[in-house]
Amino acid sequence: MERVTLYLRTPLFSLGTASAHLPTGVTVVEGKVLDQASGGLIVEVSRMLSGERVLSEAPIRLLIPMSKVDHVHVLE
């Protein structure tokens, strides 16, 4: 499936532009969507961030409930 960046539990926002905005306390999950489960996404996570701070770069698979996902940036 697609390689994606997930932005969780916030109003719509973006990174990488001159007017980029990332609210305080937001978790950013980078990885690859492996499957869509009932009510969520199974993601092979390559990196998690909180603002500019890297929380983890250890590979992990997560089932992230759709209720936690604000929007998804599809990279490929």
Side-chain angles (χ1 to χ4, degrees), residues 6 19 23 28 36 40-41 51 55 63 70 72:
L6 304 174
S19 61
V28 176
Q36 279 192 280
L41 299 172
L55 299 175
L63 171 56
D70 180 68
V72 177

Side-chain angles (χ1 to χ4, degrees), residues 30-60:
E30 296 176 347
K32 185 181 237 182
V33 174
L34 300 176
D35 200 3
Q36 279 192 280
S38 177
L41 299 172
I42 298 174
V43 180
E44 185 175 280
V45 177
S46 57
R47 186 165 75 148
M48 287 191 286
L49 303 105
S50 179
E52 300 278 327
R53 188 172 64 110
V54 175
L55 299 175
S56 174
E57 291 184 316
I60 187 173

Side-chain angles (χ1 to χ4, degrees):
M1 287 202 113
E2 301 92 9
R3 196 170 61 89
V4 299
T5 299
L6 304 174
Y7 300 92
L8 311 179
R9 295 179 47 207
T10 66
L12 191 63
F13 57 88
S14 63
L15 296 173
T17 64
S19 61
H21 172 65
L22 185 64
T24 304
V26 170
T27 300
V28 176
V29 177
E30 296 176 347
K32 185 181 237 182
V33 174
L34 300 176
D35 200 3
Q36 279 192 280
S38 177
L41 299 172
I42 298 174
V43 180
E44 185 175 280
V45 177
S46 57
R47 186 165 75 148
M48 287 191 286
L49 303 105
S50 179
E52 300 278 327
R53 188 172 64 110
V54 175
L55 299 175
S56 174
E57 291 184 316
I60 187 173
R61 285 188 183 186
L62 295 176
L63 171 56
I64 300 174
M66 288 305 291
S67 63
K68 303 271 296 172
V69 176
D70 180 68
H71 66 284
V72 177
H73 178 195
V74 179
L75 301 170
E76 292 179 347

